[in-house]
């Protein structure tokens, strides 16, 4: 069963989107059985899913909307007119309703997940916070390397709050016409402030650059000032999320406008393994193979893990004759930027050095029995090959 534990996790998450007493009882039975059979890690994982589900129930959209600071705003419908650039008639934003937003929480490390839950849980304690003259955070900046799931996370947070998302990619607000960019920003915020929504500002660094950059013209500085003023007007109107891949380009004044600032790191080895197990389904790989895939992608993003999984599925359909290791060598040739250069060079030029690199890796702790099947040999044959190589070196 542990072989299919990632599928069991997915089933439990799906069932808990609309739980009842029978579902809760069966999941608790499963947890007890796992603990009894010595699978404590898996049991704790399901306990975490169950706990998150119960927290989400407490954070139901109806409860959050009841106390949401924008309770006086208008409801967005599919007929609501979206503001447009007056020069080009291009819409300034897209609308995503709660039903269209991702239901599955992005997979991050434990610390990041706890931080994310704390953001959403603030809205469940809205009334109690007001009693001590405090309010939930009204803005959040999410930054980190590309492909780490920032936009997905922003949409998931909005899903938990239970409000539509007004998504604006700030690159799309920029115009070559003098004054039009500032006007677009003003119109976007006026729209978001009028309605009950979460304003999601993607590609945030497109406009929010350092105002003291000597290469920037006065128009860009005026645009940044407009953005700062608009963020200030938004503070008492609703929740705003900014997303950027280039936080170093942000004006210091921009940082101060966000109550919460979360850096999303690239996946740790543990998180990468979980992501790969999720993405490769329904293909079946054993734990050693998944660990090897994670080793190949060390330092890469979650988006890279998804790309590798899609590539493996295509390879499985198009050419089943390739061995596991040959498929990964081919992937390395075709995806040079996704595999660390030293690993890539050794993988492609010397199986002996390749094997030694795996066995000497301290992060993943490969054993001979783990990697021998990759190369189509038995563990004993691999051991003899390594011993022979050592003897040759001594001579």
């Amino acid at each position: 069963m542990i072989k299919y534990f990632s599928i069991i996790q997915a089933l439990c998450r799906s069932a808990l989107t609309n739980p009842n007493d029978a579902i809760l009882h069966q999941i608790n039975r499963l947890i007890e059985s796992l603990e009894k059979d010595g699978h404590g890690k898996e049991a704790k994982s399901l306990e975490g899913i169950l706990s998150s589900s119960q927290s989400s129930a407490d954070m139901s959209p109806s409860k959050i909307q009841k106390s949401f600071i924008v309770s006086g705003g208008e409801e967005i419908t599919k007929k609501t007119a979206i503001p447009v650039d007056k020069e080009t008639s291009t819409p300034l934003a897209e609308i995503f309703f709660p039903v269209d937003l991702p239901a599955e929480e992005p997979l991050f490390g434990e610390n990041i997940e706890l931080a994310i839950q704390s953001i959403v849980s603030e809205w469940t304690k809205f009334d109690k916070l007001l009693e001590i003259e405090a309010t939930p955070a009204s803005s959040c900046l999410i930054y980190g390397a590309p492909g780490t799931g920032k936009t997905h996370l922003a949409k998931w947070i909005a899903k938990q709050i239970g409000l539509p998302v007004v998504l604006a990619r700030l690159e799309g607000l920029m115009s070559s016409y003098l004054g039009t960019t500032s006007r677009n920003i003003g119109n976007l915020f006026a729209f978001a402030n009028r309605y009950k929504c979460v304003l999601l500002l993607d590609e945030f660094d497109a406009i929010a650059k350092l105002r003291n950059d000597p290469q920037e013209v006065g128009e860009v500085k005026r645009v940044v000032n407009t953005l700062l003023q608009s963020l200030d007007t938004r503070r008492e109107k609703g929740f705003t999320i900014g997303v950027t891949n280039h936080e170093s380009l942000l004006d210091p004044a921009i940082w101060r406008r966000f109550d919460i600032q979360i850096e999303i790191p690239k996946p740790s080895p543990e998180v990468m393994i979980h992501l790969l197990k999720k993405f490769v389904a329904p293909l079946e790989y054993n734990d050693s193979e998944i660990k090897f895939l994670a080793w190949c992608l060390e330092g890469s993003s979650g988006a890279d893990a998804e790309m590798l999984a899609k590539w493996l599925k295509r390879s499985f359909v198009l050419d089943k004759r390739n061995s596991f290791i040959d498929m990964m060598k081919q992937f390395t040739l075709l995806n040079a930027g996704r595999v660390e250069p030293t690993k890539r060079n050794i993988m492609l030029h010397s199986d002996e050095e390749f094997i030694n690199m795996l066995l000497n890796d301290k992060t993943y702790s490969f054993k001979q029995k783990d990697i021998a099947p990759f190369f189509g040999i038995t563990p004993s044959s691999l051991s003899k090959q390594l011993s022979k190589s050592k003897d040759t070196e001594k001579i």
Side-chain angles (χ1 to χ4, degrees):
M1 181 179 69
I2 299 306
K3 181 179 180 181
Y4 303 105
F5 185 68
S6 61
I7 300 175
I8 292 172
Q9 287 176 304
L11 287 171
C12 289
R13 287 194 181 99
S14 298
L16 288 170
T17 57
N18 188 22
N20 54 44
D21 291 341
I23 289 172
L24 295 175
H25 175 67
Q26 294 302 328
I27 292 178
N28 278 310
R29 281 187 62 201
L30 180 56
I31 291 171
E32 291 174 4
S33 298
L34 287 168
E35 288 177 340
K36 184 178 178 181
D37 292 343
H39 302 298
K41 183 178 179 182
E42 286 76 10
K44 287 184 179 179
S45 176
L46 292 188
E47 285 177 349
I49 293 172
L50 191 59
S51 176
S52 296
S53 170
Q54 290 168 343
S55 297
S56 296
D58 294 336
M59 292 183 277
S60 63
S62 60
K63 291 183 180 179
I64 295 174
Q65 286 190 19
K66 182 178 178 181
S67 56
F68 201 81
I69 198 168
V70 293
S71 58
E74 299 178 30
E75 299 282 348
I76 294 181
T77 70
K78 293 187 176 181
K79 294 183 179 180
T80 300
I82 301 172
V84 299
D85 183 308
K86 292 186 177 179
E87 308 292 345
T88 64
S89 298
T90 304
L92 300 180
E94 297 177 80
I95 307 297
F96 293 87
F97 294 93
V99 69
D100 303 317
L101 298 173
E104 187 172 359
E105 182 179 2
L107 187 58
F108 300 115
E110 184 177 354
N111 290 336
I112 297 293
E113 289 184 352
L114 289 173
I116 294 165
Q117 287 293 342
S118 71
I119 295 172
V120 182
S121 65
E122 286 186 14
W123 293 97
T124 67
K125 306 273 194 309
F126 184 92
D127 296 333
K128 291 183 178 180
L129 288 172
L130 284 182
E131 289 175 4
I132 58 171
E133 298 182 355
T135 56
S138 63
S139 57
C140 175
L141 179 66
I142 303 174
Y143 64 97
T148 50
K150 299 183 297 297
T151 302
H152 181 93
L153 170 60
K155 290 180 177 180
W156 182 84
I157 291 173
K159 175 86 168 183
Q160 306 314 299
I161 293 177
L163 292 173
V165 168
V166 175
L167 170 61
R169 293 179 174 85
L170 294 200
E171 183 71 35
L173 300 183
M174 302 189 75
S175 171
S176 59
Y177 294 96
L178 188 66
T180 299
T181 302
S182 292
R183 183 173 63 201
N184 285 344
I185 293 172
N187 289 341
L188 171 69
F189 275 84
F191 176 83
N193 292 345
R194 177 180 174 182
Y195 294 97
K196 295 179 182 179
C197 67
V198 172
L199 177 59
L200 173 51
L201 304 172
D202 209 351
E203 301 173 357
F204 199 70
D205 50 277
I207 291 178
K209 294 181 180 179
L210 292 169
R211 285 178 295 178
N212 59 0
D213 187 335
Q215 295 182 350
E216 298 293 357
V217 297
E219 170 67 5
V220 173
K221 293 182 180 180
R222 285 191 290 273
V223 165
V224 175
N225 284 332
T226 300
L227 180 57
L228 291 171
Q229 293 166 8
S230 297
L231 287 168
D232 288 339
T233 66
R234 178 79 180 146
R235 182 167 293 276
E236 298 299 324
K237 301 290 185 180
F239 196 65
T240 306
I241 303 176
V243 174
T244 179
N245 296 333
H246 305 288
E247 68 279 2
S248 61
L249 296 178
L250 299 186
D251 187 303
I254 293 290
W255 284 86
R256 293 195 295 271
R257 262 58 180 192
F258 288 94
D259 300 327
I260 297 171
Q261 301 152 6
I262 303 179
E263 180 178 12
I264 304 300
K266 289 184 177 180
S268 66
E270 294 77 17
V271 171
M272 180 62 82
I273 286 171
H274 284 298
L275 286 172
L276 286 165
K277 285 181 178 178
K278 172 186 172 183
F279 292 143
V280 299
L283 298 184
E284 296 181 8
Y285 290 99
N286 62 41
D287 289 344
S288 296
E289 290 169 334
I290 292 291
K291 191 164 68 169
F292 173 71
L293 296 177
W295 177 85
C296 291
L297 288 183
E298 189 171 17
S300 296
S301 69
D304 291 324
E306 188 170 13
M307 178 69 71
L308 170 57
K310 290 179 179 178
W311 190 90
L312 289 170
K313 291 174 183 178
R314 290 197 299 268
S315 297
F316 177 80
V317 171
L318 297 175
D319 193 352
K320 296 181 181 180
R321 295 170 298 174
N322 276 347
S323 68
F324 178 68
I325 205 72
D326 286 339
M327 282 197 300
M328 286 311 299
K329 286 183 178 181
Q330 190 175 1
F331 174 83
T332 300
L333 276 170
L334 299 173
N335 295 269
R338 293 187 169 91
V339 181
E340 193 271 327
T342 301
K343 291 182 179 181
R344 184 175 68 245
N345 290 335
I346 289 179
M347 285 175 69
L348 297 175
H349 295 105
S350 170
D351 279 356
E352 185 176 321
E353 290 183 49
F354 188 2
I355 290 169
N356 282 321
M357 175 179 272
L358 289 172
L359 292 174
N360 291 326
D361 190 278
K362 295 180 180 179
T363 301
Y364 292 90
S365 303
F366 291 103
K367 295 180 174 55
Q368 291 181 17
K369 66 177 182 179
D370 296 328
I371 65 174
F374 299 169
F375 296 87
I377 57 178
T378 64
S380 59
S381 297
L382 176 59
S383 181
K384 290 177 183 177
Q385 182 178 319
L386 292 172
S387 297
K388 184 178 179 181
S389 176
K390 288 180 181 179
D391 291 340
T392 303
E393 289 178 4
K394 289 178 182 179
I395 296 173

